[in-house]
Structure formats: structure tokens, C-alpha cells
Amino acid sequence: MPMGRGQGWGRGRGRKRKMRMIGRIPEVRHFYPALLPLGQPKPPIFITYEEFEALRLVDYEGLTQEEAGKRMGVSRGTVWRALSSARKKVAQMIVEGRELIILPQGNEVPREIMNEGG
């Protein structure tokens, strides 16, 4: 059987992604450089609500990764991966002067909705 096909391989198989609790939907979801780039513009960089929330909780609010994980309903390791990815993308945006767009993945739930449901 070819690699990437069959049971346990590829997208759509395996364990379903856990819901991520986020404090709120970001109000501003699109950042772009003040000056237009010379020549052909590079494609935008996309970060997810999960990456945004990890960055907000750890770097903006000053929580530990463990505390952020509890708030988001995920492990500390998941927060570390999201935070590492978000930091790299933000740095790339600044250094390369690229657009940054914040998009949902579909598995994020604002904390207010979670509290209303239960």
C-alpha cells in the first residue's frame, strides 16, 4: 500500500482534534506592512486562532505554558507547539514585511460560549 494512503495515514484519519477554548475571537484579523513591497509581493502568512491565543496568553498576559494550556483545554506541549509556530510566523511577517492573517481552524470555541453551554 502506498505511503500516505490506507488506515492511519493521511488527513481525515486518526484521532479527532480536540476543541480549543479561546478567550475571545480576535477583533483585528489582518495586518499588513505600511509600505508596499517592491516587485512581486510575497504570499500572506496565516496563523490560527489557536496560535493567536497561545501568543496572547503567554506573551501578552504573562501566563506560563501550563496555565495557558489549562485555559485552552489542551496540554502544555500543545501550547508550546502553537506558541513556537506563532512566534516564528510573527517574526517572519516583521522581517519579510508580509501580510499576516488570523484564521479559525474550526475547532476553537470562545470561552463565553463554553460557559453558557454548561
Side-chain angles (χ1 to χ4, degrees), residues 40-103:
Q40 184 70 16
K42 292 183 179 180
I45 296 169
F46 298 97
I47 72 169
T48 64
Y49 283 2
E50 176 183 355
E51 291 168 326
F52 171 84
E53 183 70 358
L55 196 63
R56 186 182 74 81
L57 291 174
V58 176
D59 290 343
Y60 181 73
E61 290 194 10
L63 300 181
T64 66
Q65 291 177 18
E66 190 168 334
E67 292 166 334
K70 287 178 184 174
R71 282 219 198 155
M72 293 174 68
V74 297
S75 71
R76 186 206 53 78
T78 298
V79 170
W80 182 86
R81 284 185 290 279
L83 183 62
S84 178
S85 176
R87 286 174 174 166
K88 181 173 180 158
K89 290 175 182 181
V90 169
Q92 185 179 15
M93 174 202 70
I94 293 168
V95 170
E96 297 178 7
R98 292 170 63 176
E99 288 181 78
L100 180 78
I101 301 172
I102 305 170
L103 295 174

Side-chain angles (χ1 to χ4, degrees), residues 14-32:
R15 202 159 99 185
K16 187 176 176 182
R17 285 183 58 93
K18 196 174 186 180
M19 296 302 280
R20 270 69 165 148
M21 288 184 284
I22 58 173
R24 62 176 179 259
I25 303 294
E27 290 179 28
V28 178
R29 293 180 224 148
H30 190 177
F31 299 87
Y32 54 93

